[in-house]
Amino acid sequence: MSVLSEKVITRDWERPNQNTLAGYKANGGYKAAMKALELPPAAITDEVKKSQLRGRGGAGFPTGLKWSFVPSLEKNPKPRYLAINADESEPGTAKDRFILEKDPHLLLEGIAIACYALGAHTCYIYSRGEFKYPSAVLDKAIAEATADGIFGKKLLGRDFELNVYQVRGAGAYICGEETALLESLEGKKGWPRLKPPFPAVVGLFGCPTVVNNVETIASLPRIFEKGAEWFSKLGFGKSGGTRLVTVSGAVNRPGTYEVAMDTSLRELIYDAAYGQGLPEGRTVKACIPGGSSAPVLTGDELDVKLEFDAFKPLQSMAGSGGVMVMDDTACMVRCLWRVSRFYAEESCGQCTPCREGQPWMARILRKIEEGRGERGDLDTLLGVAAAVAPWPPIGLGTTICALGDAGALPVQSFVTKFREDFEQHIRLRRCPKGDKPWGVFGDFK
Amino acid sequence: MKQGASTNRPAMSDPLFTPDEQKHFDAGIAELLSHYPVDRKSAAMLPALRLLQTLKGWLPPEGLKLVASRLETTVERCYEVATFYVMFHTKKPGKYVIDVCTNLACALRGAEGMLAYLEQKLATKAGENGEKYFLRETECLASCGTAPCLQVNEDHHESLTKAKVDALLEKLA
Ligand SMILES: Cc1cc2nc3c(=O)[nH]c(=O)nc-3n(C[C@H](O)[C@H](O)[C@H](O)COP(=O)(O)O)c2cc1C
Ligand code: SF4
Ligand code: FES
């Protein structure tokens, strides 16, 4: 079994006053940034490349490489921005909020390093509108760091101005998509932009902008404290470091855990340190491994590592680390219907396949679950899904942004892998689970 | 003249703000505008609408006009944004807005039963905006590992049980 040899993100969460500047500094806080800022900006980016840090927002894109897409000042003299994605709304995902609540200065220290490397003098942290408490903790941390002179005219005493602001969203999943996030930061509704151009070239206010997830940036202080090589070695394959994952649903001990990259889904679900298995007699029927957009896996596909490349052969993805477990008494149709309803609700409406297709899929699923399904419905369902984004492989979407794919992939993977469950509903003209579709923990007590 | 500029001061008969609220609003807008490039005032839209909603409990039409003028944009743009995001209320909501997550991870831990329990206890239907309660289904709130969860006027409550919900409701006078 894999062991977590060293904690990266959660290391200090239990320390007293860790979420205040005094508590953070008492434990060596902001020393890593001081060290990083001794390097020329380009060398910082090189270190990040060496560390094999990859984006924790969903796509696992190499962070140093993303930074290197920002054009040089000679080529593009416009200001550059860093935007932190703290919108955390992918169903199943609950990790960034804990960084904000328990260790906000870890993120802020990462921001200092990233902005210096990128030559960005302004950073906006776009946080989820519903995060009242995490946002309050973060606001206080920003105010403390600014009052202390860490941010402001002289970043950590250097001749470099950096201002950091939090902007709170207002309830729209789509604003987690990076270009919708930028639109929202510009004060507009969250309609994603067609890419290219990518934000690194044309981003916020038309300027070069890097968008990174909270956990990604919160990893930077450790990289500069202990070295890029240390971070890279801690990981597995081409995924440096550790990662935060949230296991939810039918396990005995749901929660958010920091795991080694080579931890398997099975370990996460069954290990004493993590999910602690399912109640006596129950088995895993289905598992969504990386937020609800990730294609579902069966109980036989759990021996896969949680690092970013391991899911490719299974045509799924490690995504945002949201692992949702369904036991053998849960109804697959009902689960998928709930997922589909989400994408129908959250489509921004710009592209026809997504705007029309997501609600259409949700309607067919409802019909099947309510016992009104007909022969042919499953083919229609798969046809609609394929028109939005054929699968496999992942990434063939026909729409402006990947929300299209995100809604189509669950449908195709559930119906393909659990087809008999769907057909049974149509044959029986009812849900075999009756009024208990949610499995072993489905009752409200 | 910029659209909406004439509504800088609301009609005397129905003042939008008390003097205290006005002070708070003016200072808030000035602070927000300092976070953006000078030629990008309208970027402050979301925080400005939030400020207005914090003061008034919702986004009254007069308030939207005022935001438009301060941000040097049109009131149509304000409405476009206000109606896109579910947390903004362009209609006055009940005293307690209760958002219950019924997304998958919560549903697997009893969220649908919790919603039904709330409907019964509050004698309201999800989606109906009453004078006292506005009970709504909402999407994943990043409490999947501490499900089920809900928010009352944006205050977050997680790892809920019947007993905890009972205790919570008792506090809502
Ligand atoms: C529909 C949709 C929703 C997304 N939601 C989030 C989110 O809530 N948080 C996040 O960090 N990334 C989200 N992403 C991914 C972002 O677009 C972007 O890839 C990410 O923030 C980049 O940061 P990283 O490279 O550090 O992962 C979403 C993508 C899509 C298509
Ligand atoms: S794919 Fe869906 S959410 Fe994305 S831009 Fe198109 S309509 Fe909007
Ligand atoms: S599914 Fe309810 S908080 Fe995530």
Side-chain angles (χ1 to χ4, degrees):
Chain A
M1 89 152 252
S2 73
V3 219
L4 181 65
S5 55
E6 273 179 277
K7 290 181 176 174
V8 175
I9 300 287
T10 64
R11 186 183 78 188
D12 300 328
W13 281 8
E14 303 310 323
R15 292 179 72 95
N17 302 321
Q18 182 64 23
N19 66 9
T20 67
L21 182 60
Y24 188 71
K25 276 192 162 176
N27 192 28
Y30 288 99
K31 287 211 179 114
M34 297 286 279
K35 204 165 136 192
L37 267 50
E38 314 229 313
L39 298 171
I44 299 181
T45 303
D46 282 343
E47 285 298 296
V48 175
K49 278 188 189 158
K50 244 193 270 167
S51 75
Q52 308 218 71
L53 174 63
R54 293 170 69 169
R56 307 293 199 250
F61 195 83
T63 306
L65 185 62
K66 183 187 276 189
W67 292 7
S68 67
F69 294 154
V70 173
S72 68
L73 275 171
E74 292 84 67
K75 272 203 198 135
N76 184 338
K78 288 182 181 169
R80 40 228 51 212
Y81 292 99
L82 175 68
I84 301 295
N85 195 337
D87 196 51
E88 185 154 84
S89 344
E90 170 75 12
T93 314
K95 59 182 188 73
D96 298 335
R97 64 168 273 211
F98 293 114
I99 298 177
L100 303 182
E101 289 173 16
K102 294 172 189 284
D103 209 354
H105 286 283
L106 191 65
L107 171 65
L108 296 182
E109 185 171 0
I111 287 172
I113 298 168
C115 284
Y116 190 77
L118 295 164
H121 298 285
T122 309
C123 169
Y124 295 104
I125 303 169
Y126 187 89
S127 64
R128 221 188 137 162
E130 290 88 344
F131 281 179
K132 185 173 177 175
Y133 174 67
S135 289
V137 178
L138 179 64
D139 262 341
K140 188 162 161 268
I142 296 172
E144 280 179 329
T146 308
D148 195 60
I150 292 171
F151 298 144
K153 289 263 180 272
K154 286 191 172 292
L155 172 67
L156 289 159
R158 304 212 156 235
D159 223 358
F160 186 99
E161 179 166 2
L162 174 61
N163 295 301
V164 179
Y165 307 110
Q166 174 174 210
V167 177
R168 295 181 62 190
Y173 165 69
I174 191 58
C175 290
E177 194 281 335
E178 57 185 9
T179 60
L181 184 149
L182 296 175
E183 288 286 303
S184 189
L185 273 179
E186 291 183 1
K188 304 177 206 154
K189 61 184 175 186
W191 270 21
R193 302 171 182 169
L194 204 54
K195 293 186 276 193
F198 288 92
V201 182
V202 183
L204 187 64
F205 306 132
C207 303
T209 304
V210 166
V211 183
N212 270 138
N213 171 262
V214 169
E215 186 190 345
T216 310
I217 296 297
S219 304
L220 295 172
R222 302 284 191 262
I223 293 175
F224 288 89
E225 179 190 333
K226 304 208 162 185
E229 202 162 316
W230 167 85
F231 190 84
S232 160
K233 278 204 184 124
L234 200 55
F236 184 88
K238 290 189 180 133
S239 305
T242 60
R243 64 180 309 203
L244 294 180
V245 292
T246 302
V247 58
S248 62
V251 294
N252 286 319
R253 199 171 74 125
T256 301
Y257 304 103
E258 180 168 3
V259 297
M261 285 287 178
D262 62 345
T263 306
S264 72
L265 260 185
R266 191 178 299 282
E267 284 171 303
L268 178 70
I269 293 170
Y270 287 99
D271 246 47
Y274 311 122
Q276 299 186 350
L278 282 67
E280 188 73 37
R282 297 276 63 84
T283 55
V284 175
K285 167 124 187 179
C287 175
I288 296 177
S292 67
S293 309
V296 71
L297 304 178
T298 68
D300 298 330
E301 294 175 308
L302 303 179
D303 293 304
V304 52
K305 293 179 179 27
L306 288 161
E307 60 102 1
F308 289 102
D309 297 320
F311 286 84
K312 271 179 204 149
L314 297 173
Q315 307 294 351
S316 187
M317 56 191 184
S320 57
V323 176
M324 295 188 275
V325 180
M326 290 147 268
D327 73 273
D328 54 343
T329 59
C331 169
M332 293 299 101
V333 180
R334 186 62 164 254
C335 289
L336 177 60
W337 173 27
R338 186 60 189 85
V339 169
S340 277
R341 247 178 71 196
F342 170 74
Y343 293 103
E345 194 66 40
E346 299 296 330
S347 165
C348 84
Q350 260 190 113
C351 327
T352 311
C354 176
R355 181 187 63 240
E356 304 299 325
Q358 311 285 9
W360 190 359
M361 291 188 274
R363 282 196 303 273
I364 296 175
L365 287 164
R366 174 179 185 170
K367 190 178 151 198
I368 296 173
E369 173 64 2
E370 291 180 346
R372 295 177 285 114
E374 294 163 275
R375 202 178 273 280
D377 276 352
L378 290 180
D379 293 334
T380 311
L381 190 57
L382 289 174
V384 175
V388 183
W391 172 85
I394 293 175
L396 302 180
T398 60
T399 52
I400 292 176
C401 89
L403 187 141
D405 308 57
L409 300 179
V411 169
Q412 292 170 96
S413 55
F414 265 91
V415 176
T416 311
K417 293 185 181 182
F418 304 106
R419 188 158 183 132
E420 173 49 26
D421 294 64
F422 289 78
E423 284 180 346
Q424 195 188 18
H425 279 69
I426 297 174
R427 261 196 329 269
L428 295 176
R429 304 199 146 272
R430 65 180 170 83
C431 173
K433 307 283 191 267
D435 59 2
K436 288 199 179 298
W438 299 113
V440 60
F441 287 110
D443 290 337
F444 181 56
K445 289 191 186 130
Chain B
M1 194 173 77
K2 292 256 165 17
Q3 185 165 356
S6 61
T7 56
N8 233 337
R9 260 171 224 91
M12 292 303 282
S13 56
D14 182 20
L16 177 62
F17 293 135
T18 64
D20 257 9
E21 287 173 346
Q22 185 76 54
K23 233 196 273 168
H24 198 107
F25 181 80
D26 292 345
I29 294 285
E31 167 67 27
L32 289 175
L33 291 179
S34 75
H35 298 180
Y36 298 96
V38 281
D39 57 342
R40 296 286 185 168
K41 289 197 168 67
S42 65
M45 181 70 82
L46 269 78
L49 294 180
R50 182 179 279 277
L51 174 65
L52 174 64
Q53 186 160 298
T54 308
L55 290 170
K56 303 311 299 179
W58 67 299
L59 301 173
E62 280 302 307
L64 287 168
K65 282 187 205 156
L66 184 60
V67 169
S69 84
R70 294 295 174 85
L71 269 45
E72 295 176 9
T73 184
T74 63
V75 73
E76 288 79 7
R77 279 274 330 279
C78 290
Y79 270 103
E80 183 183 57
V81 173
T83 53
F84 184 82
Y85 298 91
V86 295
M87 290 180 73
F88 289 137
H89 300 292
T90 48
K91 291 195 182 81
K92 200 172 179 158
K95 184 170 174 197
Y96 296 108
V97 180
I98 305 177
D99 286 314
V100 180
C101 172
T102 56
N103 210 309
L104 183 56
C106 283
L108 292 167
R109 306 293 291 202
E112 284 198 348
M114 183 166 81
L115 184 70
Y117 187 68
L118 283 160
E119 286 185 322
Q120 177 229 319
K121 282 210 79 154
L122 303 176
T124 182
K125 277 248 162 282
E128 270 172 30
N129 186 8
E131 201 154 295
K132 184 153 182 200
Y133 301 111
F134 185 8
L135 180 67
R136 305 191 290 188
E137 275 184 85
T138 191
E139 302 298 354
C140 177
L141 292 169
S143 271
C144 320
T146 41
C149 67
L150 59 75
Q151 298 197 329
V152 182
N153 292 348
E154 298 181 27
D155 282 326
H156 192 67
H157 305 273
E158 52 198 337
S159 302
L160 292 171
T161 59
K162 256 184 197 154
K164 283 192 192 170
V165 167
D166 287 342
L168 195 64
L169 294 185
E170 254 170 49
K171 289 193 207 126
L172 309 185

